[in-house]
Amino acid sequence: MYKVFLRIILLSAVLPAGAYTARAQDQILDGIGETGMIARYVFNGDTRDWSRNNLHGKPGTGVQFVNDSRFGKVLSLSGEGNAFVTLPGETLTDLESISISGWIYLRSNRAGQRFFDFGTSAGRHFSAAPSGTKSGEGYQALLTSGEENLTGAVSPAIELNKWVYLAIVVDIPSQSMITYVDNKPAGETTAIPRELAAVFGHSANRLYIGKSLLAGDPDLNALIHDFRIYRVPLTRREVAGIYYNATRGSQGSTVNVGKPEENLPQFSPAESQLYNAYLTAVSDIEVETEAGNLPRLPSHVPGTYRNGVEGPPVRVIWPAPTDNSDVLEAGRYTLTGRVAGTNFHPKALVTVKNTGPVTTPDAQLETFDLSRVSLETDAHHHDTKFIENRDKFINTLAKTNPDSFLYMFRHAFGQPQPEGARPLGVWDSQDTKLRGHATGHYLTAIAQAYAGTGYDKALQAGFAQKMEYMVNTLYDLAQLSGKPKTAGGEYVADPVAVPVGPGKAAYDSDLSQEGIRNDYWNWGKGFISAYPPDQFIMLEHGARYGGQKTQVWAPYYTLHKILAGLMDVYDVSGNKKALDVASGMSDWVYARLSQVPRDTLIKMWNTYIAGEFGGMNEAMARLYHITGQEKYLKTAQLFDNIKMFFGDAQHSHGLAKNVDTFRGLHANQHIPQVVGSIEMYRVAHDPEYYKVADNFWYKAVNDYMYSIGGVAGARNPANAECFPIQPASLYENGFSAGGQNETCATYNMLKLTQNLFLFDQRAELMDYYERGLYNHILASVAEHTPANTYHVPLRPGSVKQFGNPNMTGFTCCNGTAIESNTKLQSAIYFKSRDNRSLYVNLYIPSTLHWTERGITVEQTTSFPKEDQTRLTIRGNGEFDVHVRVPSWATKGFFVKINGKAQKLKAVPGSYLKISRKWKNGDVLELRMPFGFHLDPVMDQPNIASLFYGPVLLAAQEPEARKDWRKVTLDAKDPGKSIQGDPQKLEFTVDGVVLKPFYETYGRHSVYLDVTLK
């Protein structure tokens, strides 16, 4: 344990005076992405956290709020009588770096006062003493992980009786702590602990604003305004943004778009890297397209290399128009691409043809119900990673109390809670405008768990009981909506006529015990939610995302989860009440949205976060498929994101015509909408919907994907949840400091991929599915619990952060995690609709019951720790077996039937069809030798991930780092530079241990700085 006690003494500075009115914003403040913020306390009359994390402070008995001429109402601490604020212990959990900022008006120069003090004891804490301590004068920023005290820089104490802006930035990868006073750097030290865990442990349990952890120190006598905690090290520009926006009386609530701060190692744009250094020629290409549709250009083209190097196809970065004006008429034109770090500019000769009849594929395949496929142990009878993760989630789900997931629904309807019921936390706590979202995920998860636990009848019966209890309760609550509370009482059945709450002048999103409305008889028939109808209505009136009661947080996103969960329960159990609840609320939605003008809908669905509707289009199309009622198809169409899908109301361009309209947008706000488009195509047969989904998938995977299969993670725009501002620019605009890949975005990408494959059996779809499943979804779960990741950081020396081990407090990614890990078997096998073909997509030990054919398929393998699998057929029949030949299987793909080698041509990145009259006991053996290959960042090729077959290998790092780990590999055969045991999937290169990312729990480097020799 590092024993460091650091003091940084800061210079004071004069703060210009100016009027300021405090106002709530969403978490995109001052150009800083929302995922970087842990908590924000404006202190304008209370100690509430204005971030979405609900880490509300607890005021001491002596805390007061006073009016200030500059900032309005502010926190006043007198220095005595319990005048301090306590923050929840979970505020500082699993942090890599930390930044604190805030305004202070110091009224006393007594030594030992603390602006804040966070830690576990007097010997392990992080604090700021604006007037010095008993052992030293001057303003001191203190970080200690032991009993020894090391003195840092010393400067005059903060000036009294004036507002001063302070920021303290602890940057662990850079091994530095920097302090700012009124935007000016005032002190810096590099003598800090290598990890914040040395200071806080797993999480600090004593967090004070205005009070010291050291006995005998005085409490703070000061005013405080806008105290913020960030999980990322703020840059100098970000500190300046907070400061100057406050002095101007404004705060940027939009995503910051511009040149990103260069906080990644930079390389010469003219220097050829990796295989590009061996290039001698790059091929031009010819493509065709129909008038109005931008051409689909290959991301990789053939190249010629020198010195006998057999390099991969060359990554080309093509121009990315924002409309389709170049292809409106038939003709020919030329596009010129570029190859990063070279002078090669390959050309694409594009032929534009007049539009003929639009042809899109029909669904050829169907999935198997989860009950038909079971996960098995590997060939050596060991539990696989799939079984381990499944059991973590199944066993924890089995212990959950459904009343926790119903708590906020009962609260919204003013109904009593059962004895012992406890609410969920995080984004499902009382004051959270997204509450109820976890309930939808829970319904889906317990439905999937019920379907998939045929191996344990007691478990299965428990999930059946949970489903029935959940549905019965939601049904009873829904029956209250829009009906008189007492016989003859007043009520409003019409969803369009919902009035404002009793005693209120306007609709609001106040969910506090004092402010929530419970007049369910006025909410319209069929309404069901964990909050009153106001947020839905406010969105129609232009409300935006944020923490004030005049703002909302994605009401239709939450509703989608609930409706999807109800339909999932209906699908696996036939529970008619579940369908009735879903239909009733869908009727409510149709009644309202069918009255909203199209221009308003376009604006709504393109409003950041507030307009996020999840997959409401998917849910409504699915309900139409189940019921056949046309109104649900019409409802689904009301959720068309016309701007992204079609460019405008005239359908001039957009994704339907292969225009990238999602660059810079919030990834998981839009991916589920595209999932909905393929479902719309399934039920409405409109080719535009198919093109939206197909074009999006191709662009997302080729231009925005990180090596683990995830997308998003932009630092331009400054939001880890957004796609970068330009395609194929991950290095220039990606690698956000707040994390890269939102796990629920990959959940939705896999869902989209699976659905597309049912229509078009391109192997690249299932190649991607395998990548995302193994290297993100499997890798997103903690080692010993079902705690799981939100964002997965991919910068040098990063560490995963896992949350929600007991399923008591859900973010969006915690919600999709309980779904992902209860359906891990869902895409191993598909069948043709006529039951004449079987598709084997993934090589996972499992048993398939193909009941329509009376066939059982047993897949026995230790893949990916071995490069082979065995499929044993139980039963008789003539049918085709299509096996995936992975794109990485470049060393061959070998087939045996009953021990006899087959002379079949297997092309990497395709499906191999094996037609046969199968007999009981037939054995199909597949072997696909693994090799090492690199996956470079498209615009900075030397920054690359190393794969062994399908498995991403992560460098195991001993500590945080700022620069990329350098490795050197043999140019002709990278495997010659790598030692290790393939059966353990553990290797070394240049002395660095490499393990599968899905078995990595400490610090890691997924990307390496690779040199070829």
Side-chain angles (χ1 to χ4, degrees):
M1 199 64 67
Y2 298 92
K3 297 181 177 180
V4 181
F5 187 60
L6 307 175
R7 303 174 182 175
I8 299 179
I9 313 300
L10 308 179
L11 295 171
S12 60
V14 177
L15 176 67
Y20 179 87
T21 303
R23 58 193 179 96
Q25 299 286 351
D26 61 45
Q27 282 187 279
I28 304 246
L29 290 165
D30 309 300
I32 304 170
E34 63 185 323
T35 56
M37 178 176 277
I38 296 173
R40 182 191 183 204
Y41 306 94
V42 178
F43 292 138
N44 66 339
D46 57 40
T47 58
R48 296 174 58 79
D49 172 17
W50 282 27
S51 85
R52 65 187 184 183
N53 296 320
N54 296 292
L55 297 164
H56 303 309
K58 181 179 180 180
T61 55
V63 165
Q64 294 182 330
F65 296 92
V66 299
N67 290 318
D68 175 72
S69 60
R70 180 171 186 183
F71 290 121
K73 192 164 285 188
V74 297
L75 175 69
S76 177
L77 304 180
S78 63
E80 55 188 25
N82 290 318
F84 60 90
V85 176
T86 304
L87 305 184
E90 58 266 32
T91 303
L92 305 184
T93 302
D94 293 332
L95 293 181
E96 179 175 76
S97 296
I98 187 171
S99 301
I100 306 289
S101 77
W103 293 84
I104 185 171
Y105 187 100
L106 195 61
R107 298 183 294 202
S108 167
N109 61 2
R110 292 184 67 190
Q113 298 178 89
R114 308 289 165 145
F115 184 31
F116 64 88
D117 202 348
F118 299 158
T120 58
S121 67
R124 292 160 56 96
H125 64 132
F126 172 37
S127 68
S131 296
T133 66
K134 295 177 181 178
S135 58
E137 297 180 352
Y139 178 68
Q140 303 176 29
L142 311 165
L143 189 61
T144 177
S145 60
E147 300 302 327
E148 295 181 5
N149 300 339
L150 299 180
T151 303
V154 178
S155 297
I158 299 301
E159 191 172 348
L160 295 180
N161 300 317
K162 64 179 297 182
W163 281 108
V164 178
Y165 173 70
L166 303 180
I168 304 171
V169 177
V170 179
D171 185 347
I172 293 297
S174 294
Q175 283 293 283
S176 67
M177 178 160 67
I178 304 174
T179 57
Y180 299 83
V181 176
D182 285 342
N183 184 44
K184 296 180 177 64
E188 179 174 1
T189 184
T190 57
I192 67 172
R194 293 180 180 271
E195 301 285 356
L196 280 178
V199 179
F200 300 137
H202 178 68
S203 63
N205 55 14
R206 299 170 68 187
L207 281 70
Y208 302 127
I209 298 175
K211 178 179 174 61
S212 174
L213 285 176
L214 277 64
D217 277 351
D219 290 346
L220 181 67
N221 184 356
L223 305 177
I224 300 178
H225 168 70
D226 201 2
F227 186 94
R228 306 184 190 183
I229 309 173
Y230 292 91
R231 68 174 63 255
V232 295
L234 295 177
T235 65
R236 181 170 182 174
R237 188 171 70 182
E238 289 168 337
V239 170
I242 299 171
Y243 172 76
Y244 284 116
N245 281 331
T247 60
R248 287 195 300 263
S250 66
Q251 290 175 321
S253 61
T254 58
V255 179
N256 181 43
V257 177
K259 181 175 174 58
E261 188 137 344
E262 300 301 350
N263 51 11
L264 287 175
Q266 295 301 299
F267 304 92
S268 169
E271 183 178 356
S272 296
Q273 303 279 6
L274 210 64
Y275 288 103
N276 287 354
Y278 295 85
L279 269 178
T280 59
V282 182
S283 300
D284 294 335
I285 60 169
E286 292 193 23
V287 295
E288 293 183 352
T289 189
E290 296 177 338
N293 294 276
L294 287 180
R296 177 173 291 184
L297 301 170
S299 59
H300 293 78
V301 303
T304 304
Y305 297 88
R306 60 180 170 83
N307 295 346
V309 171
E310 294 183 7
V314 180
R315 175 66 207 229
V316 180
I317 300 175
W318 300 104
T322 56
D323 60 35
N324 60 343
S325 57
D326 291 338
V327 294
L328 294 179
E329 297 180 356
R332 290 164 69 86
Y333 73 105
T334 300
L335 286 170
T336 301
R338 65 181 178 90
V339 178
T342 75
N343 291 320
F344 292 107
H345 295 282
K347 292 180 170 51
L349 181 60
V350 181
T351 301
V352 183
K353 295 184 174 181
N354 286 322
T355 305
V358 178
T359 58
T360 47
D362 294 325
Q364 302 294 320
L365 305 183
E366 293 178 347
T367 59
F368 287 99
D369 292 342
L370 293 178
S371 60
R372 305 275 195 90
V373 184
S374 58
L375 298 174
E376 308 292 350
T377 57
D378 70 14
H380 305 290
H381 309 293
H382 300 139
D383 282 351
T384 65
K385 200 70 178 175
F386 293 97
I387 287 179
E388 290 176 7
N389 285 6
R390 177 200 69 185
D391 289 351
K392 290 172 191 174
F393 282 82
I394 290 289
N395 294 336
T396 306
L397 276 168
K399 298 174 185 176
T400 53
N401 182 353
D403 285 323
S404 293
F405 294 87
L406 293 166
Y407 195 99
M408 291 305 162
F409 288 82
R410 289 185 171 118
H411 181 256
F413 282 79
Q415 303 299 301
Q417 303 288 347
E419 185 177 353
R422 296 288 183 271
L424 299 171
V426 191
W427 292 357
D428 242 280
S429 57
Q430 177 173 313
D431 296 321
T432 313
K433 297 175 176 62
L434 207 69
R435 67 188 211 178
H437 79 109
T439 305
H441 291 297
Y442 183 71
L443 286 166
T444 293
I446 61 176
Q448 292 176 171
Y450 168 78
T453 51
Y455 58 86
D456 187 324
K457 296 303 180 185
L459 267 178
Q460 193 170 45
F463 288 119
Q465 292 174 354
K466 290 183 192 303
M467 285 193 298
E468 185 175 12
Y469 183 77
M470 292 288 296
V471 169
N472 284 345
T473 303
L474 292 172
Y475 179 86
D476 290 343
L477 292 174
Q479 291 302 303
L480 298 176
S481 292
K483 297 177 182 178
K485 183 177 182 181
T486 57
E490 295 183 354
Y491 67 100
V492 176
D494 183 0
V496 180
V498 177
V500 298
K504 299 190 176 187
Y507 301 104
D508 66 47
S509 55
D510 188 349
L511 302 176
S512 67
Q513 196 63 41
E514 302 77 21
I516 192 170
R517 62 184 294 188
N518 299 125
D519 58 326
Y520 52 80
W521 51 91
N522 289 327
W523 295 356
K525 183 180 178 182
F527 182 84
I528 186 68
S529 179
Y531 40 74
D534 296 49
Q535 287 199 72
F536 297 93
I537 300 169
M538 293 163 67
L539 179 62
E540 296 171 12
H541 296 160
R544 303 186 74 83
Y545 168 49
Q548 285 187 330
K549 64 183 180 181
T550 56
Q551 297 172 311
V552 302
W553 186 1
Y556 280 104
Y557 172 93
T558 308
L559 180 59
H560 165 242
K561 309 308 170 213
I562 297 166
L563 296 179
L566 289 166
M567 284 186 273
D568 287 335
V569 170
Y570 173 75
D571 281 349
V572 303
S573 69
N575 189 319
K576 181 67 165 52
K577 285 185 177 179
L579 186 61
D580 288 344
V581 177
S583 299
M585 185 59 187
S586 299
D587 292 344
W588 190 95
V589 170
Y590 178 65
R592 288 204 67 91
L593 292 187
S594 60
Q595 305 301 311
V596 176
R598 183 171 60 178
D599 288 348
T600 302
L601 289 173
I602 292 174
K603 183 178 180 180
M604 284 166 57
W605 306 147
N606 285 280
T607 302
Y608 176 76
I609 298 296
E612 182 175 3
F613 60 72
M616 278 297 296
N617 50 349
E618 178 196 18
M620 294 298 92
R622 182 179 173 190
L623 190 58
Y624 166 66
H625 181 72
I626 293 171
T627 66
Q629 295 188 41
E630 195 77 19
K631 62 182 175 181
Y632 299 130
L633 178 59
K634 293 179 180 178
T635 309
Q637 291 167 333
L638 294 172
F639 286 97
D640 281 348
N641 187 331
I642 289 175
K643 186 175 180 180
M644 184 175 76
F645 286 9
F646 311 122
D648 52 36
Q650 290 71 45
H651 293 211
S652 297
H653 59 89
L655 276 170
K657 298 196 174 178
N658 205 28
V659 178
D660 181 348
T661 48
F662 61 91
R663 65 189 81 188
L665 297 182
H666 187 281
N668 206 48
Q669 179 169 348
H670 294 87
I671 301 171
Q673 298 174 6
V674 179
V675 176
S677 75
I678 196 68
E679 185 67 14
M680 286 293 292
Y681 175 66
R682 184 164 81 98
V683 300
H685 311 293
D686 183 339
E688 281 194 307
Y689 286 121
Y690 180 83
K691 289 188 172 184
V692 164
D694 191 42
N695 289 334
F696 173 87
W697 185 92
Y698 187 85
K699 290 180 182 297
V701 168
N702 285 282
D703 287 343
Y704 296 96
M705 183 186 73
Y706 293 83
S707 58
I708 68 172
V711 295
R715 71 186 196 282
N716 183 23
N719 187 345
E721 297 186 348
C722 286
F723 292 107
I725 194 64
Q726 288 295 327
S729 67
L730 284 191
Y731 203 79
E732 180 183 359
N733 294 304
F735 288 101
S736 165
Q740 279 68 66
N741 296 167
E742 193 176 356
T743 305
C744 53
T746 299
Y747 157 88
N748 281 307
M749 282 297 297
L750 295 188
K751 192 173 181 180
L752 172 62
T753 302
Q754 178 172 316
N755 290 347
L756 277 170
F757 189 78
L758 302 180
F759 293 89
D760 184 359
Q761 290 73 58
R762 303 196 313 269
E764 64 177 327
L765 290 160
M766 279 300 149
D767 281 346
Y768 168 77
Y769 195 100
E770 178 183 66
R771 177 190 290 245
L773 180 65
Y774 277 92
N775 302 307
H776 193 168
I777 298 303
L778 280 190
S780 68
V781 181
E783 187 171 9
H784 301 297
T785 74
N788 47 89
T789 58
Y790 188 157
H791 286 90
V792 177
L794 302 178
R795 284 180 169 224
S798 295
V799 63
K800 302 173 192 172
Q801 296 173 350
F802 302 102
N804 199 29
N806 301 310
M807 301 185 186
T808 55
F810 288 76
T811 65
C812 51
C813 295
N814 297 145
T816 53
I818 64 174
E819 294 189 34
S820 290
N821 290 280
T822 50
K823 64 167 186 176
L824 290 167
Q825 72 271 42
S826 64
I828 301 175
Y829 310 99
F830 296 148
K831 65 184 181 70
S832 63
R833 299 182 73 180
D834 61 8
N835 284 295
R836 293 182 179 179
S837 296
L838 176 68
Y839 279 74
V840 182
N841 307 309
L842 301 170
Y843 301 118
I844 298 172
S846 53
T847 299
L848 164 68
H849 296 282
W850 190 2
T851 55
E852 294 86 351
R853 293 298 305 252
I855 296 291
T856 297
V857 178
E858 300 168 357
Q859 183 172 182
T860 306
T861 181
S862 294
F863 187 98
K865 294 185 176 180
E866 296 177 357
D867 61 5
Q868 56 195 351
T869 189
R870 173 190 294 247
L871 299 162
T872 304
I873 310 297
R874 305 296 183 191
N876 300 288
E878 185 175 0
F879 54 90
D880 299 329
V881 176
H882 299 256
V883 296
R884 183 173 61 90
V885 184
S887 59
W888 49 259
T890 56
K891 293 178 176 287
F893 188 89
F894 305 98
V895 180
K896 289 182 179 179
I897 297 178
N898 297 330
K900 184 178 180 181
Q902 306 294 302
K903 294 182 179 180
L904 299 170
K905 184 179 181 181
V907 179
S910 71
Y911 272 80
L912 176 63
K913 183 171 76 169
I914 303 171
S915 301
R916 181 180 172 86
K917 186 176 288 186
W918 300 91
K919 296 180 181 179
N920 186 44
D922 278 351
V923 176
L924 172 62
E925 294 177 272
L926 310 173
R927 187 169 68 87
M928 54 207 91
F930 289 6
F932 294 97
H933 60 98
L934 293 165
D935 184 23
V937 177
M938 66 279 291
D939 57 333
Q940 192 60 55
N942 60 302
I943 305 303
S945 292
L946 180 64
F947 281 78
Y948 183 62
V951 178
L952 173 61
L953 300 174
Q956 307 299 295
E957 299 287 4
E959 60 187 28
R961 57 186 302 140
K962 198 74 173 177
D963 59 323
W964 303 102
R965 177 167 289 282
K966 295 180 182 295
V967 298
T968 301
L969 300 176
D970 186 277
K972 295 181 180 180
D973 183 0
K976 289 182 178 180
S977 309
I978 303 169
Q979 298 79 42
D981 186 347
Q983 292 191 342
K984 292 182 179 179
L985 291 177
E986 186 169 314
F987 305 93
T988 59
V989 57
D990 289 350
V992 181
V993 175
L994 296 155
K995 291 172 57 177
F997 191 47
Y998 62 71
E999 290 183 345
T1000 296
Y1001 304 101
R1003 286 202 176 274
H1004 60 261
S1005 288
V1006 162
Y1007 283 95
L1008 310 169
D1009 185 355
V1010 182
T1011 300
L1012 295 180
K1013 287 189 177 179

